Amino acid sequence: MTRLEDLEIFAHVARTSSMSEAGRELGFSPAVVSKRIKHLEERLGTRLFQRTTRQLSLTEAGQGFFIRIEAILAGIEDAEAFMAGRTEEARGTLKISAPTSFGRMHVAPHLKPFMQANPGITINLTLSDEFIDLVAGGYDLAIRIGELTDSSLVARRLAPVRRLLCASPDYVSTHGMPQTLADLETHICLPPHNNDTWRLEGPDGPVIYRPQGPLVTNSSEVIREAVIAGLGIALRSTWDVGPELKAGKLVPVLPFLEAPKNVALSAVYPSREFLPAKVRLFIDYLTGLYGPRPYWEG
């Protein structure tokens, strides 16, 4: 094996925290992976991993080495992508991170046309509502919803995000329709899964309301199902409940109030001088798929 192959093995072990998993990804036995890591550590004169019977983790030196190796491997991939772009065919694995609900509803159903049009690209899609470090995780891009604050990443806006208060017709029939924000004090509200406030904008400017309710959960999808079932009032994105609003299963509440419009759906990726063709193609695909007025707005 070459030194480059040793570095690729190291990067796979660092990402997966498992020699067995890295071996499965690369087609090597765990014994071969362990031997190559040991030889790499001997050549460098330092321990890269802390090993216990149950856990494998990077040492401080290993973490610093991993960050630099990722940059090297990304540069090689950029060069290959550049050549792929010149031959008009993108190749390689495209590693993507996306929010759980959005990825399930609006990414996964649309992968087939993209993959059929680009047979040289393999998709590795991770769905998670946790913040993921793109560089440390070896991701090519992430789809994110919100205000972007990480200046080290390049962002491309894919679509606006519209959020409004809503409830089921059954709930409104039983509890009445609130007419003012103060009326929510007498209603059942379903706070977001992180128990945060509702930040809204109306004719008189921005307002902040802290909802209180009988349901506590760490799942946004639980809140979604609860509001559809008629348990209370929730603040939801139209990408999440657009079909229910269109079908009348949900109705807007206090329609003169909506969440701030500075929240958007974006594709973010590490800042690189040469954007790999596979990343550019996928972002272009999503931009055409969603656009300034996404299909979920009806």
Side-chain angles (χ1 to χ4, degrees):
M1 291 187 179
T2 65
R3 289 192 175 189
L4 178 59
E5 288 172 326
D6 284 347
L7 299 182
E8 290 176 337
I9 291 173
F10 164 75
H12 275 77
V13 175
R15 293 180 196 128
T16 61
S17 297
S18 168
M19 292 193 185
S20 297
E21 181 63 27
R24 281 193 292 271
E25 291 180 356
L26 294 167
F28 299 137
S29 69
V32 170
V33 173
S34 178
K35 182 178 179 181
R36 300 314 305 176
I37 293 297
K38 182 179 179 181
H39 286 176
L40 179 61
E41 289 178 327
E42 290 174 351
R43 189 167 74 240
L44 295 174
T46 188
R47 183 178 293 275
L48 299 173
F49 292 98
Q50 296 285 4
R51 301 167 176 83
T52 68
T53 55
R54 295 185 177 182
Q55 189 175 14
L56 184 72
S57 60
L58 287 166
T59 62
E60 183 178 353
Q63 182 64 44
F65 188 62
F66 176 57
I67 292 173
R68 288 158 178 80
I69 292 306
E70 281 285 86
I72 292 170
L73 295 177
I76 294 171
E77 191 172 328
D78 281 344
E80 293 176 344
F82 170 72
M83 295 307 299
R86 291 180 63 87
T87 59
E88 299 182 350
E89 183 178 357
R91 294 183 176 276
T93 298
L94 181 61
K95 191 172 182 181
I96 308 165
S97 169
T100 302
S101 296
F102 186 88
R104 176 178 58 80
M105 297 173 68
H106 300 293
V107 178
H110 305 294
L111 290 179
K112 181 180 178 180
F114 177 80
M115 297 179 77
Q116 287 178 329
N118 301 277
I121 296 177
T122 299
I123 300 292
N124 182 343
L125 175 62
T126 297
L127 300 184
S128 174
D129 293 325
E130 301 298 324
F131 179 84
I132 291 179
D133 187 324
L134 297 190
V135 176
Y139 288 88
D140 294 293
L141 78 152
I143 298 169
R144 290 184 176 167
I145 300 171
E147 298 179 59
L148 302 179
T149 57
D150 191 341
S151 60
S152 67
L153 299 175
V154 179
R156 179 168 167 184
R157 183 183 174 100
L158 299 175
V161 173
R162 181 167 164 253
R163 294 173 294 160
L164 66 154
L165 296 170
C166 57
S168 73
D170 286 345
Y171 175 87
V172 173
S173 177
T174 302
H175 298 275
M177 177 67 80
Q179 301 300 313
T180 68
L181 190 66
D183 291 343
L184 293 181
E185 295 294 331
T186 61
H187 281 266
I188 301 172
C189 293
L190 302 173
H193 67 283
N194 56 6
N195 219 20
D196 203 353
T197 57
W198 285 346
R199 298 180 181 274
L200 305 165
E201 291 183 350
D204 298 324
V207 295
I208 297 177
Y209 183 78
R210 183 173 293 278
Q212 302 292 327
L215 176 63
V216 177
T217 176
N218 68 340
S219 170
S220 178
E221 292 193 340
V222 169
I223 298 295
R224 178 184 188 275
E225 296 306 314
V227 69
I228 292 173
L231 184 58
I233 299 171
L235 180 67
R236 306 304 299 175
S237 298
T238 53
W239 64 256
D240 189 35
V241 295
E244 287 73 21
L245 288 165
K246 185 177 180 180
K249 294 180 180 180
L250 291 175
V251 294
V253 172
L254 303 178
F256 54 88
L257 292 174
E258 288 193 8
K261 294 179 173 56
N262 55 350
V263 173
L265 175 72
S266 302
V268 300
Y269 51 92
S271 179
R272 299 177 183 172
E273 185 176 357
F274 300 106
L275 182 65
K278 61 184 181 182
V279 178
R280 175 180 52 78
L281 286 171
F282 192 69
I283 293 176
D284 288 346
Y285 174 69
L286 294 183
T287 301
L289 180 65
Y290 305 143
R293 183 168 177 80
Y295 61 81
W296 53 77
E297 290 289 347

